[in-house]
Amino acid sequence: MTSAADRAIGSRRRAGTSATRFPARLVYAFPLLILAAACSRGGSPAASDPAPFELAGRTMGTTWSVKLPADREGRVEGLREELVAELEAVEDAMSTYRPESELCRFNRAPAGLVSASPELASVVANALEVGRASGGAFDVTVGPIVDLWGFGAGPGERRAPSAEDLEAARRLVGLDRLGAIRAGAVGGPSLEKATDGLRVDLSGIAKGHGVDRLAARLAARGEANWFINVGGEIRAAGRRSAAREWKVAVERPSEGRQLALAEYPLRDRAMATSGDYRNFFVENGRRFSHTIDPRTGRPIEHALAQVSVVATDCETADAWATALDVLGPVEGPRLAEERGLAALFLVRREDGGFDEVATTAFRRFAAGS
């Protein structure tokens, strides 16, 4: 069945119509670090339960790591090279910092239909689906507005733009200007832009996609117990050991040192977190967050500090964490509950503390069901 994203610009078509990282600042609600923990169910770990074996490196302007049970060390020959190859494939397809990446070539292309790899077409289609389901709160075409506020990849000054400049940038942005056809469709996978100058940035979903690529590679090798972290996007399977579970500790919003707010077991699930409190500027006594609401073209000003989303795959968790962060403390929980999303919202109080708002699905996850 053809998805809504696949059909996005079908009517127009029928009518005839060497850096290596992702720009962390270009995405309008980038994922925060989710602190990884591996805690026992009954207190201190036994001396016979050694630390997990870990492979790690850098990708997409951040770090990645894969943890495996300690007894797997020495039995995974060639695994690191395979994982690095998966992450390199993501960057070659989706980086906005590699001029010859598939996405950069699409961004430079004039309006029209462009053939795409199945992976790129699928990620864009998924992004469009979350964008439409969130009423435009997640929009991978928002880059020109982010640049205008000074939060983009370039050296632009961080300042409030004029109304005229903002309106001009908004004319280059919009979900209805972008379409994606997945693999299997007539003519093969492709992307289409309806407007010259339209640019796509996948920083709000590509790290989650990278996590899922690593998960698929591990599964293909027969690994059943692992913990993946790419820039704070997490996915885990199985257990750390017979005695201990994999756990994640959600970070307490703070502009200073990192503090764990709560820990949760994570098995056969993914988690992503987005927030607005680490990247901002102050102009004339007013604080402007890097989190841009694509619907208004302006930084958010609500009281939501961060949101964590749990899903079966990290690509979904990543995109929805960004969307719900933009939607805020009222719209966000309402939509998450309607869609059955497992989401935890941390809302600022006037006394400096935080209220926790959890959806029904998140409460079930936290209870281990």
Side-chain angles (χ1 to χ4, degrees), residues 201-213:
D201 184 276
L202 299 174
S203 298
I205 192 171
K207 291 186 182 72
H209 173 73
V211 169
D212 293 337
R213 292 275 290 260

Side-chain angles (χ1 to χ4, degrees), residues 175-187:
L175 296 173
D176 60 341
R177 294 174 169 85
L178 175 66
I181 302 296
R182 299 179 193 268
V186 176

Side-chain angles (χ1 to χ4, degrees), residues 214-227:
L214 298 187
R217 173 57 56 184
L218 290 166
R221 288 183 57 116
E223 299 295 335
N225 303 285
W226 39 260
F227 188 101

Side-chain angles (χ1 to χ4, degrees), residues 78-114:
L79 176 58
R80 189 180 194 282
E81 290 75 13
E82 292 182 26
L83 299 176
V84 169
E86 291 291 345
L87 294 170
E88 280 292 299
V90 175
E91 293 216 65
D92 284 343
M94 303 173 197
S95 173
T96 55
Y97 269 68
R98 293 185 176 182
E100 294 308 310
S101 74
E102 187 180 359
L103 185 62
C104 281
R105 294 198 304 272
F106 171 76
N107 286 343
R108 291 194 298 268
L113 186 66
V114 178

Side-chain angles (χ1 to χ4, degrees), residues 317-330:
D318 194 0
W320 272 111
T322 302
L324 296 176
D325 185 36
V326 170
L327 288 171
V330 177

Side-chain angles (χ1 to χ4, degrees), residues 45 50 54 80 108-109 167 181 185 189 235 243 268 312 322 345:
E54 181 175 15
R80 189 180 194 282
R108 291 194 298 268
E167 182 58 31
I181 302 296
R235 185 167 169 178
D268 304 327
T312 55
T322 302
F345 300 80

